[in-house]
């Protein structure tokens, strides 16, 4: 009958000293402590395979792996053997699965998905999406295997964005995260997308559009702009007034080079490549946009030329005049005026739509062309180049005159 090993004690293990050759201390059940000639102490277990060969498992180094921890690992291996499973093979499978999971973290999959979309995105769009992932998502779940991320963890990520007041940003990040999960599903690295189940858990937006004042708010807004109690720079005030008069998209105004402006002929046409629909990688809308500037706008541009006319852009960046001003310049000025959360740069477009349709009585499709919205039909492109041009020119002057009348308190 084989001699049973007497279980080891912590005292024995601590007092075990290295010898000239490696030796072992048995603990029973096939487990032993191996002490090398250099003093390292490693937990191991040996067992015989059906073919007669001996297999050795390693449970860790002492004292990082305690006696109790080693015994638990040994017991788990013995249970596998009793169930007919080779512990060494099970360990190799677990290690391979863990390596697969580590190679398919959320960040790894997200960056791979991002790379596949580059050909269909504008550079700015691609950079913005990656920047938001790096700021809001990767620090929280980037290192997690994507297959282990469920709805509660994604909800926590989105709620942290909501807590700083960025409700719309949280919704946009949810859309991006969902796309990453869908990519992981089709590439075999996730089984489901947890985002759709979170729709009712996210905070609702105040409304479905960018914040905008109404025509009834105009008198107070124009008065605040005129008084300039926040002491905006002259160029910033001109920027605000031009946004109101032209209601182009913020980036379309901010990034306008002086080369596009013909002060002598009073002509401003934005090339289709700078327009939102023209920047699409797939089927871009190749229609230049006529910005029918009213006389008030041309006076503002002539004033602006005395400040920035010698440079590249209408509104240059203060630090680098070879770049346009930040898109946040208008939003920052609005916040300082007390309109944070109430009005945005994009809100000037909603405001103009309301005034021109409700107060001036113009048809929706005419205002829509001035907003550079796509018509959605084959005839719309021709209309943009021909039928509505004269009507839009008159409309824009009437709109500017209306704003002047409101500022002068002639219209309530």
């Amino acid at each position: 009958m084989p001699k049973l090993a007497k279980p080891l004690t912590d005292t024995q293990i601590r007092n075990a000293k290295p010898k000239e050759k490696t030796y072992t201390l048995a603990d029973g059940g096939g487990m032993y402590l191996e002490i090398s000639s250099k003093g390292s102490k490693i937990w191991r277990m040996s067992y015989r395979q059906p073919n007669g060969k001996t297999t050795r498992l390693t449970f860790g180094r002492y004292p990082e792996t305690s006696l109790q921890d080693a015994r638990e690992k040994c017991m788990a291996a013995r249970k596998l053997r009793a169930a007919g499973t080779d512990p060494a093979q099970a360990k190799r499978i677990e290690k391979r699965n863990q390596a697969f999971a580590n190679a398919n973290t959320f960040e790894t999959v997200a960056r791979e998905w991002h790379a596949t979309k580059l050909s269909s995105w504008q550079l700015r769009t691609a950079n913005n999406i990656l920047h938001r992932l790096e700021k809001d998502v990767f620090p929280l779940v980037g290192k997690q295997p994507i297959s282990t991320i469920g709805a509660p963890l994604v909800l926590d990520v989105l709620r942290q964005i909501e807590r700083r007041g960025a409700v719309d940003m949280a919704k946009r990040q949810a859309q991006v995260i969902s796309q990453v999960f869908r990519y992981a599903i089709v590439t075999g690295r996730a089984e489901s997308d947890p985002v759709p189940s979170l729709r009712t858990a996210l905070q609702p937006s105040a409304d479905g559009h960018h914040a905008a004042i109404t025509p009834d708010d105009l008198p107070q807004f124009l008065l605040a702009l005129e008084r300039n109690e926040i002491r905006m720079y002259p160029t910033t005030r001109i920027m605000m007034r031009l946004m109101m008069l032209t209601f182009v998209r913020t980036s379309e105004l901010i990034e306008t080079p002086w080369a596009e402006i013909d002060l002598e002929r009073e002509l401003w046409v934005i090339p289709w490549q700078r327009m939102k629909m023209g920047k699409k990688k797939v089927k871009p809308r190749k229609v230049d946009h006529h910005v029918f500037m009213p006389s008030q706008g041309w006076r503002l541009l002539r004033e602006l030329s005395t400040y920035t006319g010698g440079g590249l852009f209408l509104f240059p960046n203060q630090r680098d005049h070879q770049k346009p001003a930040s898109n946040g310049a208008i939003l920052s000025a609005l916040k300082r005026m007390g309109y944070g959360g109430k009005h945005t740069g994009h809100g000037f477009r909603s405001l103009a739509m309301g005034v021109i349709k409700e107060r001036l009585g113009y048809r929706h499709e005419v205002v829509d062309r001035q907003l550079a919205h796509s018509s959605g039909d084959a005839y719309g492109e021709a209309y943009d180049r021909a039928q509505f041009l004269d009507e839009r020119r008159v409309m824009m002057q009437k709109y500017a005159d209306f704003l002047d009348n409101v500022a002068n308190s002639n219209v309530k």
Side-chain angles (χ1 to χ4, degrees):
M1 183 174 179
K3 183 179 179 180
L4 296 176
K6 186 177 180 181
L8 294 172
T9 66
D10 281 316
T11 300
Q12 284 179 283
I13 297 168
R14 285 195 305 272
N15 293 335
K17 304 297 181 184
K19 297 180 180 180
E20 185 177 348
K21 294 183 178 181
T22 296
Y23 68 100
T24 63
L25 297 176
D27 185 63
M31 190 179 84
Y32 56 91
L33 183 69
E34 181 182 273
I35 300 98
S36 74
S37 59
K38 295 183 180 179
S40 66
K41 300 174 182 179
I42 299 174
W43 294 110
R44 300 192 190 279
M45 174 185 175
S46 293
Y47 61 93
R48 192 177 297 278
Q49 298 278 13
N51 61 8
K53 293 184 178 180
T54 298
T55 296
R56 186 172 70 167
L57 298 177
T58 300
F59 296 145
R61 186 184 298 270
Y62 180 87
E64 290 85 352
T65 301
S66 68
L67 173 59
Q68 183 61 35
D69 290 339
R71 283 173 175 168
E72 289 177 359
K73 292 180 179 181
C74 177
M75 180 57 68
R78 293 176 65 185
K79 287 181 178 179
L80 286 174
R81 289 197 69 205
T85 300
D86 180 6
Q89 179 67 11
K91 188 174 183 179
R92 284 193 292 270
I93 293 173
E94 181 184 359
K95 187 175 181 180
R96 186 180 63 209
N97 290 342
Q98 187 61 49
F100 179 81
N102 291 341
N104 292 284
T105 62
F106 182 89
E107 181 173 348
T108 300
V109 177
R111 289 185 182 278
E112 185 179 317
W113 163 79
H114 183 270
T116 67
K117 304 290 287 185
L118 290 177
S119 62
S120 61
W121 285 336
Q122 290 295 320
L123 179 60
R124 173 180 293 177
T125 299
N127 289 342
N128 284 344
I129 290 174
L130 185 58
H131 171 71
R132 299 313 312 182
L133 283 169
E134 291 174 340
K135 180 178 179 181
D136 294 330
V137 184
F138 291 166
L140 300 175
V141 297
K143 303 305 178 186
Q144 291 266 15
I146 194 166
S147 60
T148 67
I149 299 174
L153 191 54
V154 176
L155 180 60
D156 182 61
V157 171
L158 299 176
R159 281 188 170 157
Q160 292 201 40
I161 300 173
E162 289 179 336
R163 288 188 193 108
R164 65 173 192 258
V167 175
D168 288 336
M169 176 58 69
K171 291 185 182 300
R172 288 196 292 274
Q173 285 295 72
Q175 293 171 356
V176 170
I177 292 171
S178 181
Q179 290 187 58
V180 173
F181 269 99
R182 280 180 278 164
Y183 177 77
I185 292 170
V186 300
T187 55
R189 288 173 284 186
E191 295 184 357
S192 63
D193 174 11
V195 175
S197 63
L198 304 178
R199 288 172 182 167
T200 58
L202 296 176
Q203 292 183 29
S205 301
D207 53 44
H209 307 281
H210 296 271
I213 60 174
T214 67
D216 292 335
D217 299 318
L218 266 173
Q220 190 61 38
F221 180 82
L222 291 171
L223 181 62
L225 191 59
E226 178 63 30
R227 287 179 175 174
N228 192 27
E229 292 178 352
I230 65 169
R231 298 182 180 179
M232 283 185 281
Y233 290 118
T235 53
T236 305
R237 292 181 72 195
I238 292 173
M239 183 191 301
M240 295 280 280
R241 291 183 181 279
L242 287 175
M243 275 299 300
M244 179 170 286
L245 288 172
T246 64
F247 48 90
V248 293
R249 295 180 178 88
T250 305
S251 62
E252 291 162 3
L253 176 65
I254 295 292
E255 298 172 6
T256 299
W258 276 107
E260 276 182 17
I261 305 297
D262 188 336
L263 290 175
E264 184 177 345
R265 294 192 297 162
E266 294 190 346
L267 183 65
W268 179 15
V269 179
I270 302 178
W272 63 266
Q273 293 91 338
R274 280 214 309 118
M275 301 300 294
K276 178 182 178 180
M277 299 302 292
K279 291 179 179 179
K280 293 174 62 177
K281 286 288 187 73
V282 180
K283 295 183 180 179
R285 183 170 180 255
K286 300 180 180 182
V287 178
D288 297 339
H289 180 57
H290 293 257
V291 182
F292 293 110
M293 188 86 71
S295 58
Q296 294 92 327
W298 289 110
R299 285 198 295 270
L300 287 170
L301 281 177
R302 289 187 175 91
E303 180 186 350
L304 182 64
S305 70
T306 65
Y307 297 109
T308 66
L312 180 60
F313 294 101
L314 269 61
F315 302 100
N317 188 289
Q318 293 298 314
R319 296 182 179 179
D320 184 354
H321 288 188
Q322 296 304 305
K323 296 180 181 179
S326 166
N327 265 345
I330 291 175
L331 191 61
S332 176
L334 288 168
K335 286 181 179 179
R336 291 170 58 210
M337 288 175 64
Y339 284 87
K342 301 175 183 177
H343 195 59
T344 62
H346 198 91
F348 284 114
R349 293 166 65 79
S350 300
L351 173 65
M353 174 76 84
V355 169
I356 294 172
K357 287 177 62 180
E358 297 170 15
R359 305 297 171 89
L360 303 182
Y362 275 86
R363 305 188 312 283
H364 180 87
E365 57 265 30
V366 181
V367 190
D368 232 24
R369 294 301 185 276
Q370 190 58 37
L371 287 165
H373 287 164
S374 176
S375 64
D377 59 61
Y379 301 103
E381 311 302 333
Y383 285 161
D384 194 75
R385 290 192 296 269
Q387 183 171 329
F388 294 152
L389 296 186
D390 291 338
E391 193 171 356
R392 283 159 54 190
R393 184 179 291 108
V394 174
M395 177 186 75
M396 293 298 283
Q397 186 60 56
K398 287 185 176 180
Y399 172 60
D401 293 341
F402 177 90
L403 295 178
D404 282 349
N405 288 335
V406 172
N408 294 327
S409 301
N410 291 328
V411 175
K412 298 296 183 183

